Amino acid sequence: MTPEDWMREAIRLSIENVKQGGGPFGAVIVKDNQLVATGANRVVPHNDPTAHAEICAIRNACEKLGTFDLSGCEIYSSCEPCPMCLSAIYWAHIDKLYFANTKDDAKDIDFDDSMIYEELARPQAERKLPVVTLLRDEALVAFKNWQEKTDKTPY
């Protein structure tokens, strides 16, 4: 299949998902030109603000492949990923991202991520969400334990 074929599948998922009560977003993960997993936006049906199409596809791909590392995979998203999904794509080590609709197209239908991009660019003290650091010294124990662990699986 061609990249256009895979993208058409992501778009098809987004259109079908609207009919099923979800948001207008779909994603497909492919490895070696073979379908690994799909995902569609299930935020409202699952009452889960993280259930974006890309996140669902990543979760499904990781479960199917039995790994948290999706190196060698490509993701096709019906829309430019939001900051959360883009971060997850990086964390999953996906090799390439294709998308159809842009973040501006999403903004035009009231899926606006501009505030998140703006907030991330601000220093913590200037963000709308108050941030308070508590008990850092106590929390550092877990980090020290991780650092000293000899049988850890790095990621």
Side-chain angles (χ1 to χ4, degrees), residues 77-123:
S77 178
S78 66
C79 186
E80 185 174 359
C82 74
M84 175 184 68
C85 293
L86 185 59
S87 296
I89 290 165
Y90 276 105
W91 277 112
H93 305 287
I94 292 174
D95 289 358
K96 193 168 192 176
L97 162 66
Y98 298 85
F99 65 84
N101 292 319
T102 68
K103 63 183 177 183
D104 291 326
D105 296 329
K107 183 178 179 178
D108 289 344
I109 62 164
D110 297 325
F111 287 94
D112 186 4
D113 300 323
S114 301
M115 181 275 296
I116 298 170
Y117 287 105
E118 292 165 6
E119 284 289 291
L120 290 173
R122 290 187 176 111

